[in-house]
Amino acid sequence: MVYEVRFQTVEPQRRDAYVKMYKEAIQGCKEAGCRGGQILCSEDDPTRVMVLLKWPTKEHHPNWRGTPTHRSFRAAVEGWQTKPSEGGYYLAETI
């Protein structure tokens, strides 16, 4: 299992609406093998959101790109973030 982690920035007054929209828009990734994930909102900075998606392998995520559900997702999230998201792929270890 590999985790895709995305750090995102949104307008604080729109964050709740962004989270609601994102949770609905991202559902199409499950067609490409995404096993779900979480969206976390910072208590310290109302502009910060972190998305954590679980993929069977790193290759599953790029296979989703360009599909109809991915294009729909991209159209839905366009314009919500105040700057490009950052992140990457991570492997987890239990502590």
Side-chain angles (χ1 to χ4, degrees):
M1 191 69 57
V2 66
Y3 293 84
E4 176 193 0
V5 179
R6 305 302 306 169
F7 298 97
Q8 302 171 340
T9 306
V10 297
E11 294 176 8
Q13 66 274 20
R14 297 181 71 197
R15 187 170 78 176
D16 289 344
Y18 175 76
V19 168
K20 181 180 179 183
M21 175 280 305
Y22 197 99
K23 286 169 57 177
E24 293 173 12
I26 196 67
Q27 294 303 308
C29 72
K30 293 176 180 173
E31 293 176 7
C34 181
R35 303 287 195 255
Q38 295 181 318
I39 187 164
L40 295 90
C41 297
S42 173
E43 284 193 344
D44 299 320
D45 183 347
T47 69
R48 298 296 286 166
V49 174
M50 184 179 87
V51 175
L52 179 69
L53 297 175
K54 295 187 290 187
W55 294 94
T57 68
K58 185 178 176 179
E59 291 72 29
H60 279 78
H61 178 225
N63 289 340
W64 182 46
R65 292 185 180 142
T67 66
T69 58
H70 184 259
R71 287 192 300 273
S72 174
F73 165 74
R74 296 299 303 162
V77 300
E78 186 175 338
W80 283 85
Q81 297 178 26
T82 58
K83 65 180 187 178
S85 65
E86 300 173 349
Y89 299 98
Y90 294 79
L91 300 173
E93 294 284 340
T94 302
I95 55 173

